[in-house]
Amino acid sequence: MSVQRWTRVSLLFSGATAGIVVILALVPFWFGPNTTEKLTELFVLIILAAMWNALAGYAGLVSIGQQAFIGIGAYAVIVFTDHGINGYVAVVLAALFSGLISLPISLLVFRLRGGQFAIGTWVVAEIFRLLVTNDQSIGGGTGRSLDALNIYAPADRQAYTYWVALALMTALMLASFVLLRSRLGGALQAIRDDERAAESVGVPVARAKRIVFLLAAVGCGAAGAITMANTLTVTPDSIFGIQWTAYMIFMVLLGGLGTFEGPVLGALVLFGVQQEFQGSGSWYLVGLGAVAIAVTLVFPRGLWGALVDRFNIRLMPVGHTLRTLVSRRSES
Amino acid sequence: MTWIDAVIQGILLGGLYALFACGLSLMFGVMRIINLAHGDLALLATFMVLVISQHLGLSPFAALVIVLPGAAVVGYALQYAMFNPSLRGGELSPLLATFGLSVVIGNMLLEVFSPDTHSLSAGALTTASWHITSQISISALSAVIFGAAVLVLGGLQLLLSYTQLGRAMRATADDARTAELVGINAKRVYAIATAIALATAALAGTFFGMRSSFDPTLGPSQLIFAFEAVVIGGLGSLWGTLVGGILLGVAQTVGAQAFGAEWAIVSGNVLFLLVLAFRSQGIFAAREAHQ
């Protein structure tokens, strides 16, 4: 029997991922702004899914208030550019700023557990929405548009936004991969399974949770900032809206909670669903909610979990695989 | 005088928040579920009252005769169809399932009733009021709502303290497995708790629709007010929930008086955060802990 992290498939796939990122980086040379705009939306969804998965699937923190950080990220871009900072530098700074804001918030909401934590984060998001709505200097309830990126020609701007989004997505996915593979990843799963037991064997519970909350805030802030750069306009009701959480929960649950690959799969599915049904008003949100309920109740391991069960594959080796002689023979 | 009026209006408003909150509090107390669809279920009942009163030409109060039992039946069924299965899936499942339910109900209401605002007429109650001084007046509707809230919360407290069902609920809340050993059907107790919770939510939703105009997007904010009332008052105490609701209502009306109407909700939120920061067990929880 042996413990292993990398399998032949996961080595191959990790290499292939690097190849995919290179190919994605070349997309603006081949396709027009419409394609890159759509793909940027997809990157935002992938970031959001990965961040919510790190929170709920690894740290057991069911936040339904991550739209707080999405909104903070978007509005921070406006505030930074108002102070003369370059638009794309502002996007990166906004993500970091969002992380900074998450630290004092964590002091408050970490006093709550489980379902109370969930609504507590939602209250925080509502507070930020109301504060922004009441602040006329950043557009109040009607929102603002981002003018700082108008210094670039539209086609160039879309390509730059795309590259920034791709870079941020790659960096965030890499960061969460490294984080979840580290000792902290194991600590987090122990917390998710039984917080008290984890604490009793010396897992630094509070620190581990705070690190994930910080990462998720940076990620969601980046998603909001990229959305701002991609759409160039924002209203508090949409950017601080609860529908973001509905998307995140749908993607992560359908893909597979607590797996690294599943949420990416979920993001691809949601992206497809949005392209197909976004015109049909709220009915598609009804569908998303219904699927989330159904997956929770009857299919809790999600699509990726089902694939892992069926074929025993792991593309991105976050966990440890215990291999016996029997399974080794059957795989080779 | 305007300040005293603000406080009085806040107290009356707080009764409504407490009524929204008691079902949330009951479900959490009995089975540790936070029902994230609580606000949307309440709003669904508001719309049912609207439809029934419009189509049958009834007053909203008469429509309650149909809607309250209906809400209880829906709660009973939801418990068996959704919440019980989700309880088996660990701590996260009930949250995810009830959030999904909230999204489904909220968006269905939006599709069926459009984002337009509606209102329920409470008849003569809407306009009747007592003038205490030239600046302070209490509307009859607010007083009725506050009275109903006190009755419902008091009734629930009596139910929990003195009846067979209440003892079964408290036993199940403490330890469901041991309760089952002595012959309590935990699933049935859960279903009854949810049925009561939804009936109180439906009542609160109807009063809310009489007090102010409403639209399909308001479910989540009712959930948030209810939750704030529960946390401010302290978990596990229905009287605490009533006080929590009142403090929240007063914070909102006094905040609106001090800073302008657009700061009402923020003021309530700030009170919630202050309680969280300095007394996270809530105002009444310490006393409960000694019992």
Side-chain angles (χ1 to χ4, degrees), chain B residues 55-226:
Chain B
H55 283 260
L56 302 181
L58 298 170
S59 96
F61 288 107
L64 276 177
V65 176
I66 305 170
V67 170
L68 288 190
V73 170
V74 168
Y76 201 92
L78 262 184
Q79 184 66 42
Y80 275 99
M82 205 176 127
F83 298 162
N84 279 339
S86 79
L87 277 171
R88 279 199 300 272
E91 224 180 303
L92 304 189
S93 297
L95 280 175
L96 301 173
T98 56
F99 183 78
L101 185 63
S102 155
V103 172
V104 168
I105 295 175
N107 287 291
M108 260 162 94
L109 288 177
L110 205 55
E111 278 295 328
V112 175
F113 293 98
S114 79
D116 299 342
T117 56
H118 305 264
S119 59
L120 296 174
S121 165
L125 277 180
T126 316
T127 47
S129 61
W130 295 290
H131 292 273
I132 294 169
T133 70
S134 60
Q135 279 165 319
I136 300 175
S137 70
I138 295 176
S139 92
L141 181 62
S142 300
V144 166
I145 294 173
F146 187 82
V150 174
L151 281 180
V152 168
L153 271 88
L156 271 181
Q157 187 73 59
L158 290 177
L159 176 89
L160 287 174
S161 301
Y162 297 111
T163 66
Q164 182 75 33
L165 176 63
R167 277 190 288 275
M169 279 187 183
R170 283 184 289 140
T172 315
D174 280 347
D175 187 339
R177 282 202 187 161
T178 313
E180 290 201 310
L181 285 180
V182 295
I184 292 171
N185 182 346
K187 283 188 177 165
R188 194 164 155 269
V189 169
Y190 285 168
I192 293 172
T194 304
I196 295 173
L198 284 209
T200 60
L203 185 64
T206 307
F207 283 147
F208 169 67
M210 292 176 183
R211 245 192 99 101
S212 50
S213 59
F214 57 93
D215 67 66
T217 63
L218 293 176
S221 60
Q222 303 315 308
L223 168 73
I224 286 176
F225 295 152

Side-chain angles (χ1 to χ4, degrees), chain A residues 9 11 47 51 107 151 155 164 175 177 190 197 199 212 214 242 251 289 294 316:
Chain A
V9 175
L11 270 174
I47 292 173
M51 294 304 120
L107 290 178
I151 55 170
V164 170
F177 177 67
E199 194 150 32
V212 175
L214 175 72
I242 189 70
M251 291 186 285
M316 301 298 281

Side-chain angles (χ1 to χ4, degrees), chain A residues 52 56-57 60-62 64 108-109 111-120 122-124 126-127 130-131 134-135 192 242 245-247 249 253 257 280-283 285-290 292-293 296-297 300, chain B residues 24 28 34-36 40 81-82 85-86 91-104 107-108 110-112 220-221 223-224 227-228 231 235 262-263 265-266 269-270 272-273 275-280:
Chain A
W52 201 81
L61 294 167
V62 176
I64 52 178
L108 283 173
V109 292
R111 290 163 176 254
L112 300 169
R113 298 253 168 279
Q116 298 184 47
F117 172 83
I119 311 193
W122 196 354
V123 172
V124 169
E126 278 297 288
I127 292 175
L130 290 166
L131 289 178
N134 289 347
D135 188 346
R192 179 194 60 194
I242 189 70
T245 293
Y247 296 157
I249 291 186
L253 283 183
L257 183 72
S280 62
S282 303
W283 284 119
L285 283 166
V286 174
L288 294 192
I293 297 172
T296 307
L297 296 184
Chain B
L24 195 70
F28 183 77
I34 292 253
N35 177 12
L36 295 176
D40 290 286
M82 205 176 127
S86 79
E91 224 180 303
L92 304 189
S93 297
L95 280 175
L96 301 173
T98 56
F99 183 78
L101 185 63
S102 155
V103 172
V104 168
N107 287 291
M108 260 162 94
L110 205 55
E111 278 295 328
V112 175
S221 60
L223 168 73
I224 286 176
F227 173 69
E228 289 181 333
V231 170
L235 281 165
E262 71 272 27
W263 294 98
I265 295 172
V266 179
N269 291 335
V270 168
F272 165 78
L273 289 184
V275 170
L276 210 55
F278 296 109
R279 197 172 165 80
S280 55

